[in-house]
Amino acid sequence: MSNQKDHREIGRELDLFSFHDVAPGAPFWHPKGMIIYKELEKLIREENKKMGYGEVSTPILVKKELWEKSGHWETFQDNMFHFQINEETYGLKPMNCPEGHLIFSNSIRSYKDLPLRLAEPTGKLHRKEVSGSVGGLFRLYQFTQDDAHVYCRPDQIEKEISDLLKLALKIHETFGFKSFFRFATKPDKAIGEPKLWEEAENGLKAALEKNKINYELREKDGTFYGPKIDINVKDSLNREWTIATIQLDFQSPERFELEYIDKDGIGKRPVIIHRAMLGSFERFIGILLEHTNGNLPLWLAPVQAVLIPVSEKQTGYAEKVLAELKENKIRAEIYESGETLPKRIREAELQKIPYILVVGEKEEKNESTNVRHKGDEKELQIEKLIEKIKKEIEDKSI
């Protein structure tokens, strides 16, 4: 597309977010941008609920000793923000996982309690990126990850991974993306026993093959604590992005001495599955804005419908229709008659508002509206219009 815009430009034109020098590498979300953010959050929360996840929240600032225990201090220290408080070293969390492990270890767990699925869909993370690499929503110092962890028995691995592969496909299809799979194995900078690495790699491979998923092998591209499956998508510009990740971890249960009591009464180590379906909210929104050129699907659009009265005489009718739309939880606005009708229609088009509803004398008389949507134009009764919009939102039509 020759008129394709950078997501920062789209964000500025649609009044979604801004960046300011006082907080480099972190966006300031405006009200319209927060609608997109919260709708994505709602989607993830709904899917988590269906799959039996309990939601947790953990601290952003944690003592160095936790990061030493998890292995992050040894392997990831240069990418962390850390500082002294009262002669103790603290770090801003770059990942949620270690604190989730503390929640697991806070109670005695039985084999019957597993799988235990814990989600932290709005946890703020901080990573010290290489100077010059921070830009827009794609690479930030502060971001939000739709993070979750599954603590399970070895015999539950295949089913849990299979369910997550299906979830990733479902979510990405919701946005019109086609998914591509990458299987990443043990890197050179890895921690833990080789035998555990072999078990973890075999578990991921078995799930991929059972689900008949074609994948590309990425040797030595796993995380330092375990192998992973990256799920990539292609956007409208044919660029490939890694969105979702599923990682299998046999190392952290050893480091944190996690255990559950098995059928035989003996303590066993659980296996941990790390997963994120959107990656980070910020990066995903940036990708989506460029993929759609700002023409977001109706359910995500900050303003779903705009009412444009032909003249001041129809303002009262427009306000009545607006009230009906809002009563049905449709995000709508009125463009008053200060400018000419063509100018207001053009402004609504530039703001990428999916439904442009023009109301004149005829529409008021017929209790209808002239609907402009996806290049079509027709008159619709208000009741039919509301029914149509609600169904499109509910179906999450692309």
Side-chain angles (χ1 to χ4, degrees), residues 315-335:
T315 300
Y317 175 61
E319 287 173 349
K320 179 189 168 189
V321 176
L322 178 70
E324 287 187 58
L325 292 171
K326 288 187 172 180
E327 201 174 297
N328 283 277
K329 298 185 177 164
I330 296 165
R331 297 187 288 271
E333 293 180 350
I334 290 181
Y335 281 9

Side-chain angles (χ1 to χ4, degrees), residues 28 246 265 281 320:
F28 287 68
I246 301 169
F281 280 62
K320 179 189 168 189

Side-chain angles (χ1 to χ4, degrees), residues 161-170 172-173 177-184 204 207-209 211-218 228-234 240-246 277:
I161 296 289
S162 293
D163 288 347
L164 290 175
L165 291 171
K166 290 169 189 170
L167 175 62
L169 284 166
K170 177 184 176 183
H172 297 166
E173 283 171 5
F177 289 126
K178 183 181 177 184
S179 302
F180 302 86
F181 295 81
R182 311 281 185 263
F183 175 33
L204 287 181
L208 284 165
E209 291 176 355
N211 286 278
K212 297 179 181 176
I213 288 174
N214 293 322
Y215 62 89
E216 179 186 328
L217 183 63
R218 292 282 178 93
K228 63 176 180 170
I229 297 169
D230 285 333
I231 304 164
N232 294 10
V233 300
K234 278 192 178 177
E240 196 163 319
W241 303 91
T242 298
I243 303 290
T245 57
I246 301 169
M277 293 292 109

Side-chain angles (χ1 to χ4, degrees), residues 193-200:
E193 295 295 322
K195 183 177 180 294
L196 294 178
W197 270 92
E198 188 179 341
E199 285 181 42

